[in-house]
Amino acid sequence: MKINFFNANKKISASYKKNIHTCSNIFNDLIKNKENFFLDTLANNYQKNIHLKKLILKNKLNKNILIIGMGGSVLGSKMISSFFGLDKNYFFLDNLNKELINDLIKKDLTKFSIFVISKSGTTLETLSNCNIILDNFKKKKKDISKNFIIISERNNELFNFAKKNNLKFFEHNINLSGRYSVLSEAGLLMFNLDYKKIIHGINFVLKKDLKNFLIKNTASLLAFVKGPKIDTHVSLIYSKELLNYGYWHQQLLAESIGKNGKDFTPIISECPKDHHSIMQLYLDGKKNKFFTFIKMINNKNDNSIKDYFNQGLKTGSTVNKIIDAQFNATINVFKKKLIPFRVILVDANKPIESLISLLTYSMLETAILCKALNVNPFNQPAVQLIKTETYSILS
């Protein structure tokens, strides 16, 4: 993973040095005090322990995996699945979608391993979807103990259900926010990823060059967010494999920073498709946005293109080369227009290490930024109001 900032330092130089000191202190405090359990998930021993749990599950998991959850409980695993091209065998119920549910219950779900993930054990949508799947098993008079795996806190209804029905249960730490849980059991148990590469990816951020980039880049972001103009973060995603990273990061940033009147609204743009829709606004609209260009490099999956329309394409043109040209052209225009942005490149030659570094970097950056703005990065108090109101209507 590589990351660089552009068109930034001249505009924020007055507060940049002060912010570096602030962000460095916050980083050190986070690592030392481990306020949220997500910081424990970055430890080597923790990842080794997850590896041992995966070994227990290894011969018991079916080829097809269904994951039922909402928000942070499912966005992490959905991102990993799409990044590694596993979507043919990984299915997700992450909304109340009748069509999707009906398509799933037409399948032979007895040949699926079904992960039900809810930190609280009371998530309405998760339990509603789970009820429908359980009813499907009951109608077919099938035993659920071999198929269902529960990840939740202890001593709630979901935990009690798992215990009563002899289902495999893995504890979701009570001090682990869902959107920061991607490197815990909730994000990793269903995948066969080399834990040594996971550890290497984490340590690349914590102990190597990316640590300095993390502090300096977060200091730059802080200057923009604290200033009078920048209130929107746009992810320009040029690789399909990273699109679900964008949606995972969108929740991470929005739910962490959107409190007490603070705002850094995350927008996802799939490029180059969005060159033909919203790019006009990005270039000539309000200058209230910071942009992150993100793309895979060394991606060998490609298609050659023959020029039947006399477009002047070079011999040997491919889809990747055209996307690279659009990517670089857009960067050049942003530089000329002095629009602040950064570039993140994810190496396809080291997919596990690069993705894990990106996730570690993103979570730490978000937590540091929130702390510097005097916002708790780990709670979501306003959302609870809707949950309470919904249950009052239904009951």
Side-chain angles (χ1 to χ4, degrees):
M1 173 191 165
K2 297 179 181 178
I3 181 167
N4 287 299
F5 261 68
F6 298 90
N7 295 342
N9 290 339
K10 290 182 180 179
K11 292 186 177 182
I12 60 176
S13 57
S15 57
Y16 180 60
K17 289 183 179 180
K18 180 180 178 181
N19 288 348
I20 287 180
H21 180 72
T22 298
C23 292
S24 179
N25 286 341
I26 292 171
F27 172 83
N28 292 331
D29 185 66
L30 284 168
I31 298 300
K32 179 182 178 180
N33 296 324
K34 297 183 179 179
E35 176 184 343
N36 189 271
F37 191 77
F38 112 83
L39 292 147
D40 293 85
T41 71
L42 306 181
N44 292 4
N45 287 338
Y46 183 87
Q47 290 303 323
K48 289 177 183 177
N49 189 42
I50 289 186
H51 171 67
L52 294 176
K53 292 178 181 179
K54 286 194 284 188
L55 289 179
I56 295 173
L57 285 175
K58 185 176 181 180
N59 296 324
K60 298 179 181 179
L61 289 184
N62 292 299
K63 182 178 180 180
N64 293 320
I65 305 289
L66 171 61
I67 302 171
I68 304 174
M70 292 296 297
S73 293
V74 70
L75 282 172
S77 55
K78 195 172 188 179
M79 165 183 55
I80 292 172
S81 172
S82 62
F83 182 83
F84 290 104
L86 302 174
D87 291 344
K88 289 183 179 180
N89 298 109
Y90 283 74
F91 301 81
F92 299 88
L93 268 178
D94 58 350
N95 203 350
L96 291 177
N97 185 320
K98 293 184 292 184
E99 291 76 17
L100 180 56
I101 294 172
N102 289 335
D103 285 343
L104 278 169
I105 61 179
K106 290 176 184 176
K107 302 179 185 294
D108 185 0
L109 293 178
T110 63
K111 295 181 179 179
F112 280 64
S113 291
I114 302 171
F115 286 80
V116 183
I117 307 173
S118 170
K119 180 178 185 289
S120 67
T122 62
T123 309
L124 175 62
E125 299 89 341
T126 300
L127 297 186
S128 296
N129 282 327
C130 189
N131 280 329
I132 295 171
I133 301 300
L134 286 168
D135 195 50
N136 178 259
F137 271 75
K138 184 176 180 180
K139 287 178 180 177
K140 294 179 179 180
K141 298 181 179 179
K142 298 294 184 179
D143 180 18
I144 64 174
S145 63
K146 295 181 180 179
N147 300 87
F148 282 77
I149 299 156
I150 307 298
I151 301 177
S152 182
E153 295 175 359
R154 292 184 176 273
N155 302 318
N156 57 42
E157 287 300 319
L158 193 54
F159 168 78
N160 293 335
F161 181 84
K163 191 174 180 180
K164 180 180 178 180
N165 291 276
N166 196 30
L167 307 184
K168 294 182 186 69
F169 176 85
F170 294 93
E171 184 174 3
H172 192 303
N173 188 280
I174 194 171
N175 192 36
L176 176 62
S177 305
R179 60 188 176 277
Y180 290 90
S181 67
V182 64
L183 298 181
S184 74
E185 289 82 351
L188 295 177
L189 273 184
M190 57 289 296
F191 300 105
N192 185 27
L193 301 182
D194 186 334
Y195 83 97
K196 292 181 181 178
K197 293 181 179 179
I198 292 174
I199 291 173
H200 186 269
I202 293 170
N203 288 338
F204 188 66
V205 178
L206 293 181
K207 299 178 180 180
K208 297 187 178 180
D209 292 344
L210 274 185
K211 175 184 174 182
N212 292 328
F213 276 106
L214 169 68
I215 292 169
K216 292 178 181 179
N217 292 345
T218 309
S220 296
L221 285 180
L222 178 61
F224 282 121
V225 176
K226 289 176 73 174
K229 294 183 179 180
I230 302 295
D231 60 13
T232 302
H233 175 271
V234 182
S235 294
L236 301 172
I237 301 175
Y238 284 80
S239 298
K240 180 180 71 67
E241 300 93 331
L242 289 163
L243 188 58
N244 277 323
Y245 160 79
Y247 292 117
W248 170 83
H249 183 258
Q250 183 180 56
Q251 188 218 2
L252 175 71
L253 183 57
E255 206 166 65
S256 296
I257 205 170
K259 297 154 196 161
N260 304 330
K262 301 296 194 309
D263 198 350
F264 198 29
T265 303
I267 295 175
I268 309 302
S269 266
E270 185 179 1
C271 294
K273 176 174 71 71
D274 281 1
H275 285 200
H276 302 274
S277 56
I278 200 168
M279 185 59 74
Q280 171 63 39
L281 181 146
Y282 294 156
L283 292 173
D284 279 346
K286 285 185 179 180
K287 304 305 180 185
N288 65 330
K289 303 169 190 67
F290 179 86
F291 295 84
T292 296
F293 287 74
I294 183 166
K295 189 173 76 72
M296 298 283 290
I297 57 173
N298 300 319
N299 193 339
K300 297 178 182 178
N301 294 325
D302 208 355
N303 298 96
S304 60
I305 296 177
K306 292 184 179 180
D307 187 359
Y308 291 103
F309 300 102
N310 298 318
Q311 294 171 276
L313 298 178
K314 294 179 180 179
T315 303
S317 291
T318 67
V319 169
N320 282 346
K321 288 180 180 179
I322 290 176
I323 292 174
D324 285 346
Q326 293 170 305
F327 179 81
N328 291 322
T330 309
I331 286 174
N332 290 339
V333 172
F334 271 57
K335 286 181 179 179
K336 291 176 182 177
K337 283 183 166 285
L338 300 180
I339 299 171
F341 69 98
R342 64 179 172 182
V343 176
I344 296 177
L345 301 174
V346 180
D347 191 351
N349 285 338
K350 296 181 178 180
I352 297 176
E353 297 95 323
S354 294
L355 178 63
I356 298 301
S357 291
L358 177 61
L359 304 184
T360 304
Y361 184 98
S362 299
M363 289 187 286
L364 286 168
E365 176 184 82
T366 301
I368 294 168
L369 184 61
C370 289
K371 287 284 187 179
L373 293 168
N374 295 316
V375 168
N376 184 344
F378 305 119
N379 67 353
Q380 54 275 347
V383 177
Q384 189 59 40
L385 297 173
I386 295 177
K387 295 179 182 178
T388 302
E389 184 70 17
T390 300
Y391 271 111
S392 70
I393 293 171
L394 290 173
S395 60

